[in-house]
Amino acid sequence: MGPAGAGKGTMSDLILKEYDIPHISTGDMLRDNVRNNTELGNLAKSYMDAGNLVPDDVIIAMVEKRLQEDDCQKGYLLDGFPRTLVQAEAFEKIENKIGKPVECVIALEVGFDTLVERITGRRICPKCGAIYHIHNKPSKIEGICDVCGSELTQRKDDTVEQLTVRMDGYEKSTKPVIDFYDKRGIVSYIDASQETAAVFEKVKEALSKLK
Ligand SMILES: [Zn+2]
C-alpha cells in the first residue's frame, strides 16, 4: 500500500518476478469478469453501465473466488485492495473462511516533497504509453519519446493540486486500512523515497518472515 507515486507498480512487478505468485488487482479482475460474462461480471457491469461504482460486496465476492483458484495455493499479491476500512473488515471474514489470510502488508512511505518531484516530473508518450521522468528517467531527446518519436505530454492530473487531492483521499480512506492491519501486527513500513533496489531489499526482508 502507498500513495500514488510511492512505487507500488514497480514493487509489485519485482515481487511477482521474485516469488512467482499471481498478481490480484481489482481493476484487472473486474475487467476479466466483465469480458468473460461471469455472473459477478454481469452484475458489476450493470452498476458501471448505470454510472455507479461497483459495490464492495461484488468486488469482495470476486476476490474470494479468485483466491480459490489453483495458482493462489502458495500465495498471492493483492494490489489496490482492500482500499477502504469497510472492504478490509468484510474481507477479514473471507480470509478466515477460505484459510488464506493476509500475512504481510507492505506500506510504502514517501514524503510529500518527494512525491511532488516524482509526479510533476513524469512525462508520458500519448502514442505508445512509455513513461519517462525529467530527472530520473529522461528521454534521449528532451520531450520526444525514445520508442516511437512522439511528443511527450504530462498527465492532466500529474499536478501538485491534484496530488494534494489524491493524498487527502489516501489519508482518509487508505490510512485506516493500514492501521487495521497494524493491529494484527503484520505491517512493514518501508521508506520508499530510496532507490528502487534499496526499497526492494527492504520488501524482500519483510516477506522473508513469511512461511
Ligand atoms: Zn512513444
Side-chain angles (χ1 to χ4, degrees):
M1 312 193 86
K8 286 196 297 283
T10 307
M11 284 308 130
S12 63
D13 286 348
L14 290 170
I15 290 171
L16 298 176
K17 236 182 257 164
E18 180 87 15
Y19 297 98
D20 188 29
I21 50 172
H23 177 231
I24 305 193
S25 112
T26 42
D28 291 344
M29 207 176 49
L30 202 53
R31 276 187 290 276
D32 285 346
N33 273 279
V34 170
R35 197 178 40 232
N36 297 327
N37 289 309
T38 66
E39 204 175 310
L40 287 167
N42 290 334
L43 184 58
K45 194 170 181 298
S46 68
Y47 287 99
M48 291 189 281
D49 286 347
N52 295 318
L53 282 175
V54 180
D56 282 343
D57 55 345
V58 178
I59 300 281
I60 289 164
M62 279 183 193
V63 177
E64 178 179 1
K65 250 185 135 190
R66 181 66 188 85
L67 293 187
Q68 293 181 85
E69 285 172 27
D70 284 345
D71 61 344
C72 293
Q73 290 313 312
K74 61 172 187 172
Y76 58 89
L77 174 67
L78 279 180
D79 184 0
F81 176 89
R83 208 181 274 283
T84 63
L85 186 58
V86 175
Q87 285 186 350
E89 285 170 346
F91 184 57
E92 191 170 43
K93 298 194 184 91
I94 307 293
E95 292 172 58
N96 294 330
K97 193 168 110 191
I98 64 176
K100 290 205 192 76
V102 172
E103 291 178 316
C104 180
V105 173
I106 309 273
L108 299 176
E109 299 191 302
V110 198
F112 189 73
D113 293 346
T114 307
L115 286 183
V116 167
E117 202 216 286
R118 283 186 187 173
I119 299 245
T120 58
R122 190 152 64 185
R123 297 292 179 273
I124 56 164
C125 173
K127 201 166 172 207
C128 74
I131 299 174
Y132 302 89
H133 189 281
I134 51 171
H135 301 305
N136 309 336
K137 198 193 168 203
S139 54
K140 291 197 185 85
I141 304 166
E142 196 186 323
I144 302 294
C145 178
D146 292 347
V147 183
C148 72
S150 301
E151 204 168 317
L152 300 177
T153 58
Q154 233 181 322
R155 269 190 210 129
K156 245 201 267 119
D157 53 358
D158 280 354
T159 62
V160 178
E161 293 73 31
Q162 280 305 310
L163 183 61
T164 309
V165 173
R166 270 184 280 170
M167 275 304 271
D168 287 349
Y170 178 76
E171 291 285 333
K172 229 165 104 188
S173 58
T174 312
K175 268 284 170 66
V177 178
I178 296 178
D179 295 342
F180 172 83
Y181 288 116
D182 194 66
K183 281 184 204 134
R184 271 161 59 174
I186 56 171
V187 181
S188 292
Y189 296 91
I190 293 174
D191 173 8
S193 61
Q194 313 165 77
E195 296 288 315
T196 300
V199 179
F200 189 52
E201 277 310 308
K202 295 284 177 198
V203 169
K204 279 198 288 192
E205 210 179 291
L207 294 176
S208 69
K209 291 172 200 146
L210 300 179
K211 279 173 266 170

